[in-house]
Amino acid sequence: MNMKRLFSIVFISLFLVPVLLFAAGTKEQAKDTGDGVTTLSVYHFLDQTDKTTAPNFQYLVDVFEKANPTIKLTFEYGYGEAFHDKLQTMAMSGQLPDIVLLYPGERTSQVTNAGLVQDLRPYLAGHENEFADMAMQGQGKNGEIWELPEDISITSIMFTNNRLLKQLGLTLPKTYEELLAQGPKIRAAGLIPISIANKDAWPMQSCVAGMLVERTCGLEWFDKAIAGEARFDDAEFVYAMEIIKELTDKQMFSPGTNQLAYGQGLDDFVQEKAVYFIDGGWTVNNMVGELTAEQKEYMSLESFPDIPRQKGKSLSTSATAGQGFGMNAKLTKAESEAAWKWIWFYSGPEGSAIRQKFGRLPAYNLDEPKDADPMIQKLVAYAGKVPMGYVMDSVLAAEPIGTFNINLQNMMFGTKTPKQISQELEAMVTAIGR
């Protein structure tokens, strides 16, 4: 992955979030309804109960359909692991929708590696330089672009409540030891040291583990591990797991974190029950609407502090090209052109400008918004100054990552050791082939 400095505006994304909520969308194939309207079925990753993201997305759909009255989009929604389970079923049964939300790495490889979606490069020709470099990296073996990334997603940010720090007589920790030392004082004040909700298993992997692996191992090791020249049960990788276990044992995370549904971590931070909150940059989208103007003044975006025996770069985070829409390989030429209109609208200049106003900073290169919300401005500044490493679920296949996510919970519960879950990850990655 090319980790060179991102353009001034890039990222956020998803990644990865909890339960299934299917809308009553249709599964019909794209067709002309007889009145000149082309209907396209769409499968999208969206939590319809999210009071910020869901209405924002619907606004985009409404704008698109108003500008394109001859195209009708019918949606089916999934969320969390249920989205991926449903997608796999669709792929195996040959019932893939006309347009589908995909990921650039291994997360949706059951679709992209099977030739079920079109290479978007012919449609993108001439526009490649309008996107951040990371977003235009090849997603297939021959450089294919299966989905047009909507964001560059920073998945590990330590959001910090500086008012609470000052109230407690603390300062932003520069080292891991300093962070651990703050725990007892924060808990004595009835507060949570680090807010994170891990019931759905992916947050600890996506928002914490990948960042720590870069710190303990470095990107060179990660490249070797992906290529099979290093192992996921090497001492450096196990060390990252040991840090997560220590943070758990020393009660640095939210009480009962593995029973807390995603969203609770943000709620506790917004309600100022937590000093720190670890999550992805996509949560800025919610913070724009949920934090007060006063809170936005003293909330900051920071990196996890440096750890002992660190091999990776200081203050580095984890990032990947975000998800985006792709289109079914079986569409006719006319249907493909209609599908591309939606894809280009969503991830191109028009949709990107709308999403930017909502608190998202897209992969499409836009001028830095001078009147942007303070949290967006802080996110732009953060992205421009921190080194970036890999997100594990963007470079490893879905099956081993799914098991690894659950094993992280098992380790936190004390039923497995850091060494054991590292060995199991290595065995699964080796078994399916790198």
Side-chain angles (χ1 to χ4, degrees), residues 287-305:
M287 289 180 178
V288 166
E290 296 184 30
L291 292 174
T292 66
E294 182 183 5
Q295 284 179 309
K296 291 173 184 178
E297 293 181 5
Y298 54 78
M299 301 297 192
S300 65
L301 281 63
E302 312 290 348
S303 289
F304 195 83

Side-chain angles (χ1 to χ4, degrees), residues 46-172:
L46 180 69
D47 178 1
Q48 291 180 281
T49 66
D50 188 310
K51 57 181 179 283
T52 299
T53 304
N56 286 354
F57 180 74
Q58 186 58 50
Y59 178 82
L60 282 159
V61 174
D62 293 343
V63 171
F64 173 79
E65 291 191 336
K66 184 176 181 180
N68 297 274
T70 61
I71 301 174
K72 175 65 177 177
L73 305 177
T74 62
F75 287 89
E76 184 172 9
Y77 299 106
Y79 196 50
E81 287 306 310
F83 169 89
H84 297 285
D85 292 342
K86 178 77 171 182
L87 180 61
Q88 185 169 0
T89 299
M90 289 174 166
M92 293 176 65
S93 64
Q95 299 297 315
L96 197 69
D98 305 318
I99 302 172
V100 61
L101 195 283
L102 299 168
Y103 291 80
E106 293 292 330
R107 198 65 179 95
T108 52
S109 60
Q110 72 272 30
V111 174
T112 55
N113 289 348
L116 300 180
V117 291
Q118 298 186 41
D119 181 3
L120 300 182
R121 286 181 296 176
Y123 301 92
L124 262 174
H127 296 286
E128 296 89 345
N129 291 336
E130 298 171 27
F131 290 82
D133 287 354
M134 189 185 292
M136 290 292 99
Q137 291 181 359
Q139 299 164 6
K141 293 182 179 179
N142 299 309
E144 297 93 342
I145 300 292
W146 304 122
E147 55 93 0
L148 187 57
E150 58 185 81
D151 305 299
I152 298 299
S153 184
I154 295 180
T155 70
S156 182
I157 300 175
M158 194 166 81
F159 297 92
T160 301
N161 186 320
N162 292 286
R163 184 189 72 81
L164 289 180
L165 277 180
K166 184 177 181 180
Q167 181 178 301
L168 293 169
L170 302 173
T171 58
L172 185 71

Side-chain angles (χ1 to χ4, degrees), residues 102-413:
L102 299 168
Y103 291 80
E106 293 292 330
R107 198 65 179 95
T108 52
S109 60
Q110 72 272 30
V111 174
T112 55
N113 289 348
L116 300 180
V117 291
Q118 298 186 41
D119 181 3
L120 300 182
R121 286 181 296 176
Y123 301 92
L124 262 174
H127 296 286
E128 296 89 345
N129 291 336
E130 298 171 27
F131 290 82
D133 287 354
M134 189 185 292
M136 290 292 99
Q137 291 181 359
Q139 299 164 6
K141 293 182 179 179
N142 299 309
E144 297 93 342
I145 300 292
W146 304 122
E147 55 93 0
L148 187 57
E150 58 185 81
D151 305 299
I152 298 299
S153 184
I154 295 180
T155 70
S156 182
I157 300 175
M158 194 166 81
F159 297 92
T160 301
N161 186 320
N162 292 286
R163 184 189 72 81
L164 289 180
L165 277 180
K166 184 177 181 180
Q167 181 178 301
L168 293 169
L170 302 173
T171 58
L172 185 71
K174 294 182 180 180
T175 67
Y176 176 61
E177 295 92 335
E178 290 176 3
L179 176 63
L180 287 179
Q182 291 183 355
K185 190 167 187 177
I186 294 173
R187 290 193 301 275
L191 299 170
I192 301 167
I194 302 172
S195 180
I196 186 169
N198 194 50
K199 179 180 179 180
D200 301 290
W202 65 265
M204 194 59 64
Q205 172 265 125
S206 187
C207 303
V208 180
M211 173 271 296
L212 287 175
V213 170
E214 198 283 327
R215 299 288 189 87
T216 62
C217 300
L219 280 182
E220 184 177 353
W221 178 94
F222 222 140
D223 287 331
K224 290 180 178 178
I226 295 168
E229 299 169 4
R231 296 173 56 91
F232 288 101
D233 56 0
D234 286 345
E236 302 97 314
F237 185 90
V238 175
Y239 178 32
M241 303 304 104
E242 291 172 343
I243 291 175
I244 294 176
K245 185 66 167 65
E246 183 175 34
L247 288 167
T248 303
D249 292 345
K250 294 194 173 181
Q251 302 177 355
M252 295 297 291
F253 294 133
S254 299
T257 180
N258 288 319
Q259 286 84 40
L260 298 180
Y262 187 78
Q264 187 61 53
L266 174 61
D267 289 346
D268 287 339
F269 186 71
V270 169
Q271 295 168 20
E272 304 205 35
K273 297 177 181 179
V275 175
Y276 305 108
F277 166 51
I278 296 182
D279 211 309
W282 55 82
T283 56
V284 167
N285 180 48
N286 298 80
M287 289 180 178
V288 166
E290 296 184 30
L291 292 174
T292 66
E294 182 183 5
Q295 284 179 309
K296 291 173 184 178
E297 293 181 5
Y298 54 78
M299 301 297 192
S300 65
L301 281 63
E302 312 290 348
S303 289
F304 195 83
D306 289 347
I307 64 172
R309 311 196 309 273
Q310 185 164 288
K311 293 184 178 180
K313 294 183 178 180
S314 179
L315 304 182
S316 61
T317 185
S318 47
T320 183
Q323 69 269 23
F325 288 103
M327 56 178 154
N328 196 313
K330 295 181 180 180
L331 296 185
T332 66
K333 185 175 186 296
E335 292 165 350
S336 296
E337 289 174 352
W340 175 250
K341 284 185 178 180
W342 163 253
I343 294 171
W344 180 249
F345 165 80
Y346 188 76
S347 293
E350 189 173 359
S352 294
I354 294 172
R355 289 185 293 109
Q356 184 185 72
K357 290 180 180 179
F358 288 149
R360 309 300 289 261
L361 296 177
Y364 190 86
N365 294 316
L366 297 171
D367 292 335
E368 185 171 340
K370 294 180 173 56
D371 58 347
D373 185 272
M375 296 308 294
I376 298 175
Q377 294 178 12
K378 291 177 181 182
L379 185 54
V380 172
Y382 179 79
K385 69 181 182 182
V386 296
M388 297 184 187
Y390 295 118
V391 183
M392 291 182 66
D393 55 26
S394 73
V395 294
L396 297 180
E399 185 177 359
I401 277 294
T403 300
F404 178 68
N405 289 350
I406 300 301
N407 274 343
L408 279 171
Q409 289 183 325
N410 292 332
M411 180 190 73
M412 295 169 72
F413 284 129

